[in-house]
Amino acid sequence: MSLLTTKISPGPFLRLLLPSAARPLSSAAPASGGASAEARTQKLERIADELLSLTKAERDDYSILFRLRLGLQQWIPAGGVPTPGAGARLAAEAMNPAEVKEKTAFDIKLEKFDTAAKIKVIKEVRTFTDLGLKEAKELVEKTPVVLKKGVTKEEAEAIAAKLKEVGATVVLE
């Protein structure tokens, strides 16, 4: 990966940053073409003011658009929102393909159930929780609710299958 570097003379930037009275004499605009230099400075100041007035979301969109116009698509992540240090991270990912991490702990969430099967759902909830009849009934009536957290994949799939058999809609998160 090659990086392009260019040296920019500080003259134009000093004109933007320093008020005219505080500018050094060497950075004063020449007599010929002074009006065009002043017009450029005013244009740059206007652009800078407009960029500073943008919201954070608008600045993000602008930075993406600016990079696309410059032909720097490889530096924009797939989600479209650049993050600090994205260039180094993307370069590291290109060197070492990311390994897909498989989720090991699941939460069992009861989304909804048939009202006719409410008693069966409550009984089934009691089988895999340590709740009494009243507590299980209250929990089921709070639907949608997480019934159990941090369960292994096999156990979660078994519980979800049993709940689906009795008429409940279950989601593993």
Side-chain angles (χ1 to χ4, degrees), residues 1-141:
M1 174 171 46
S2 66
L3 296 174
L4 298 176
T5 58
T6 51
K7 188 170 183 172
I8 301 172
S9 69
F13 296 107
L14 282 177
R15 283 197 304 272
L16 286 175
L17 298 175
L18 298 175
S20 60
R23 289 185 192 144
L25 293 175
S26 62
S27 69
S32 63
S36 67
E38 186 173 313
R40 277 197 328 248
T41 301
Q42 288 176 353
K43 180 179 177 182
L44 291 174
E45 287 176 353
R46 181 185 51 80
I47 292 170
D49 289 338
E50 288 178 16
L51 289 174
L52 290 173
S53 69
L54 296 177
T55 65
K56 183 174 181 355
E58 290 171 334
R59 284 193 307 263
D60 290 341
D61 292 343
Y62 173 77
S63 68
I64 292 169
L65 176 66
F66 191 70
R67 289 174 184 176
L68 288 172
R69 293 258 175 106
L70 289 176
L72 301 173
Q73 291 92 340
Q74 70 269 18
W75 299 110
I76 299 173
V81 179
T83 56
R89 189 183 73 248
L90 289 173
E93 287 175 2
M95 298 295 279
N96 301 323
E99 295 177 8
V100 178
K101 293 182 181 178
E102 190 173 326
K103 191 172 181 180
T104 57
F106 293 88
D107 296 340
I108 303 169
K109 183 176 183 181
L110 177 65
E111 288 288 322
K112 60 183 177 179
F113 59 90
D114 288 336
T115 53
K118 181 177 179 181
I119 294 173
K120 292 178 185 175
V121 172
I122 293 171
K123 286 181 180 179
E124 194 59 45
V125 168
R126 287 189 65 205
T127 61
F128 63 86
T129 61
D130 295 328
L131 299 175
L133 182 62
K134 181 181 175 186
E135 292 84 12
K137 180 181 180 261
E138 289 173 355
L139 184 66
V140 169
E141 288 174 347

